[in-house]
Amino acid sequence: MAERERLGLRLRIFLFFALIVCLSAVAIGAGTWAAAVRLGPEALPHLVLTGGSAWFVIALAALLIWQKFDENVARPIVALSHELERESTATAARAGVNTAPARYLGALGPAIERATGALSEERAATAARIAAATREAETAKARLESVLSELKQAVIICNREHLILLYNTEAVRLLGVPETVGLGRPLSTLMRDEPIRHALERVEARYRAGRHLAHPDGLSIAVLTTTATGERTLAGRLGLIVDGTGGEVSGFAISLGDVTQQIEAASARDRLIWDMIDTLTPPLAALAAMGEILVAPGAPEGEARAAFDAAVAAESHRAAEAIATMAERHAGLRSGVWPMEDTYSPTLFACVVGRLPMSLQGRVRVEGEGLWLHAETYSIVELLAHVLKRLMPGTGAVALAAERRGGNVAVDLLWGGEPVSLATLEAWLAEPLDHALGHLTGRDVLARHRTGFLPNRAPDGRVRLRLPLRAPIHDHEGAPAMPLPRRPEFYDFDLMNRALPADLAGQDLRHLSYVVFDTETTGLNPSQGDRIVQIAGVRIVNGRLLRGEVFDELVNPGRPIPAASTRIHHITDAMVANRPPVEPVLRRFHAFARGAVLIAHNAAFDMRFLGLRQAEAGVRFDHPVLDTVLLSALISDPTAEHTLDALAERFGVTLLPEERHTALGDSIATAMVFLRMLDLLAARGIRTLAEAQEASDTMVALRRRQSY
Amino acid sequence: MARSVLIVEDQDSMALVLEHLVRREGCEPGVARDCATALEAIAAAAPDLVLIDADIEERSGLDLCQRLRADPGLVGLRVLVISARCARLDVERAFALGADAFLPKPFAISDLGATLRALLEPDAPPQAPEARHG
């Protein structure tokens, strides 16, 4: 449209000049004719010559003027409009508009220059603002990720439908099974949902009534629940997520810790106290009464007195025994109230040294290997620093060391010279430590840790003040047990607005949750005893392939793996020798695939193997199933190949060579192929699960007919 | 004629103590070690008062108390319950199940004497005034 108008401008000007030439021709013609009528035919040749010359001059002038006009006005305007057009559609700041052609257009050129200059400046500023905002968002996201992954509290964020939008590594550790922690999964698969719903109901009621504004807890509330299996007790807080101020409730965040130990310890303590009352009261009640009777007037005498004496002795003995039993039980209790944790001795010693005045710091040395131990570190650091502060004015350099001692780990203070007397040590321990510990003395800290200082001498002759502490609870040697990537796709806020699919069939293929899986087997004939040796799968949630949420387990097939099969999947008998049989793995895979649509390349094969032992495993793989072979047949040339390699190539899916032909690698490749198929399927009107399954069924029928 | 008191107690020393104190009040004590024996003794000897330690035999003393109260033939029988469990709820339960008086263990021997005397007075109200509530 604009192109035609621009061409039209020069044409219209040309036509205007042409019209002038034509009109002058008409005027001259008319004049010549009028003169010829009056002057007679003999004057005609002169008149024609004069008129023709005049017209020629006019035409020539018009041509010249048009040429100049075209060159200096029309063409520059066209050129400028081109430039402006380009400028307006440019995506980034450009060098500016070339206004050279506009030199005869007066102030137009400079005005355009100013306008485009302002435009490009504005554009650059906008681009900078966007870049800054994007950087900020990225930083905030990275910060959130790192905070969440380092946090020692399990954090889970859910939408209103209790589907998980975010979780951190600690949540996976705390809630156990990685195959059930995952984006888009219902919270109830992880923990007992009722207490959460109850807490949510209360805090929502508080929010709706506006009471949260004055409430000390605002929009948060305490929750106490257990893991789905009930094995662990979880305590923490739930916070309501509200869109803006006074907006709709869009979900909730829960932070949880494992309080199983604390609660067990507290109830064990309670039980101990009650048992103590129950076992001590009868002998003490009898003793008290007998004591009174024996000193009162009319006390029993002779034989009766002897019976009383025997009873007093028996009950005293019983009470003493009861106390001894209780003391033993008390010693066996785990200290659950104090937040004890595993700590590394070099870290602990560095903290101790840091608490000392500068004058003493240079005289403290850390010796020996670093060991893990279990303690409430803050109070132990305060205690050791306190003892050093009292001790060091009277000694030379002091060494700090940790040593394994039986089942414990001892922390030693070592110095050359005189030992410290027990009375002095006791006096130091009676002094209060830091304010933060609430006037706690060193003796209190020792009591909490059920330990005490042992003064003796080290084998090298130095004086040693030894503090036995507990060995660590967790195994810190070797590799960390958690096979999870450090920052996998742990969150998906697009799920915020999605409900639990009530009716999968009508759901858009793009919004379903999938588990794309692959099995490796001992052979191709399940009916002839071939068995699964590996199951792997990967999740797709909201159109995203979650490489962080994978299932990959080897299975002991209970029979030798033929060499021919090992050549394909590289799984040997030795690799599966210590692996579980298929049943527990099927159960775990079933949990991993809960609520999802199953996808496999040539799904019938894999489903056959899954179905074979599902009864023994006590599960049923009755998920909806899609097959990438059938889907590929729906959207491609009937002669095309449908092997996974061919599909991967056709859809531009590349995998590392070491990933290919592993169950997990093939699952990922299948998942990527599937995601890229979705557009092509949609183009053929296949948008919902029901449509995909119907089309697949047609394809199965067609293929069956062709094969007969 | 001396009043008779049946002591239901399985702890030897406490039975010794209670026997001594009952005798000191001028009553005739009998001792049953468990609920079944107690029921037989009550049926055979019809005591004026039963002193039940609620803590006997997995705390079945209160069951005995309830059974005695359910027997219409034993309307005049006084029941004194002693127990180491003496929280408000335990005391209330003892009275609800038919105790005339409750004494928490450990007790002062003078309290026991006074309670016995109060319960065994010819016109004693169903609940002894000295009975202590936890």
Side-chain angles (χ1 to χ4, degrees), chain A residues 394-479:
Chain A
T395 64
V398 175
L400 293 170
E403 196 181 309
R404 269 194 204 87
R405 181 175 161 275
N408 291 339
V409 173
V411 167
D412 294 336
L413 309 182
L414 299 141
W415 68 93
E418 288 306 304
V420 59
S421 81
L422 276 181
T424 314
L425 186 60
E426 279 305 311
W428 294 345
L429 293 178
E431 292 168 349
L433 301 174
D434 187 73
H435 291 307
L437 292 169
H439 302 295
L440 221 56
T441 64
R443 209 178 288 148
D444 294 330
V445 174
L446 293 175
R448 301 272 187 173
H449 288 82
R450 284 213 193 83
T451 185
F453 280 106
L454 300 172
N456 56 9
R457 282 198 185 264
D460 61 7
R462 283 186 294 176
V463 177
R464 180 165 68 185
L465 198 53
R466 167 160 275 195
L467 179 65
L469 291 170
R470 290 184 57 189
I473 286 184
H474 301 291
D475 181 15
H476 298 276
E477 318 294 329

Side-chain angles (χ1 to χ4, degrees), chain A residues 10 61 119 192 194 201-202 284 315 330 341 577 633 699:
Chain A
R10 285 176 64 204
L119 179 65
R192 277 188 50 223
E194 300 85 5
E201 212 172 283
R202 286 170 53 211
L284 289 180
E315 292 295 7
H330 184 248
E341 57 183 358
M699 195 52 69

Side-chain angles (χ1 to χ4, degrees), chain A residues 117-347:
Chain A
L119 179 65
S120 73
E121 262 169 39
E122 185 52 42
R123 209 172 258 158
T126 306
R129 275 199 300 276
I130 290 174
T134 311
R135 266 199 308 279
E136 219 165 86
E138 287 296 324
T139 316
K141 198 177 115 181
R143 207 176 292 143
L144 177 70
E145 277 181 10
S146 75
V147 164
L148 284 172
S149 64
E150 296 307 324
L151 211 57
K152 274 325 209 183
Q153 279 264 309
V155 175
I156 296 176
I157 295 183
C158 292
N159 65 7
R160 284 202 64 103
E161 280 69 38
H162 293 225
L163 299 180
I164 298 168
L165 310 178
L166 174 151
Y167 59 92
N168 65 352
T169 324
E170 186 59 17
V172 179
R173 199 193 65 75
L174 178 62
L175 299 168
V177 281
E179 58 263 29
T180 53
V181 183
L183 297 180
R185 291 192 188 281
L187 188 65
S188 56
T189 56
L190 299 183
M191 59 185 78
R192 277 188 50 223
D193 206 11
E194 300 85 5
I196 306 284
R197 287 184 188 276
H198 173 69
L200 204 54
E201 212 172 283
R202 286 170 53 211
V203 74
E204 275 204 68
R206 188 194 297 165
Y207 173 61
R208 302 220 181 285
R211 280 183 288 118
H212 63 289
L213 298 171
H215 199 284
D217 286 345
L219 285 175
S220 88
I221 194 164
V223 281
L224 185 69
T225 183
T226 69
T227 49
T229 52
E231 267 169 28
R232 288 166 166 210
T233 309
L234 310 170
R237 297 200 73 80
L238 178 150
L240 212 56
I241 300 175
V242 173
D243 294 335
T245 316
E248 277 298 300
V249 174
S250 58
F252 58 92
I254 328 173
S255 67
L256 290 168
D258 187 349
V259 294
T260 318
Q261 270 185 31
Q262 278 102 304
I263 288 192
E264 275 174 5
S267 29
R269 220 167 277 272
D270 269 357
R271 270 198 305 279
L272 182 65
I273 290 169
W274 283 118
D275 287 354
M276 194 140 139
I277 291 171
D278 283 350
T279 46
L280 278 179
T281 309
L284 289 180
L287 280 171
M290 289 189 289
E292 260 190 88
I293 290 169
L294 289 176
V295 298
E301 282 169 11
E303 234 174 84
R305 168 72 195 225
F308 266 85
D309 286 349
V312 166
E315 292 295 7
S316 306
H317 184 66
R318 200 172 137 198
E321 257 185 5
I323 288 285
T325 312
M326 294 299 151
E328 210 167 282
R329 275 178 59 188
H330 184 248
L333 281 186
R334 299 175 73 140
S335 49
V337 180
W338 272 31
M340 304 264 180
E341 57 183 358
D342 286 0
T343 184
Y344 195 44
S345 64
T347 318

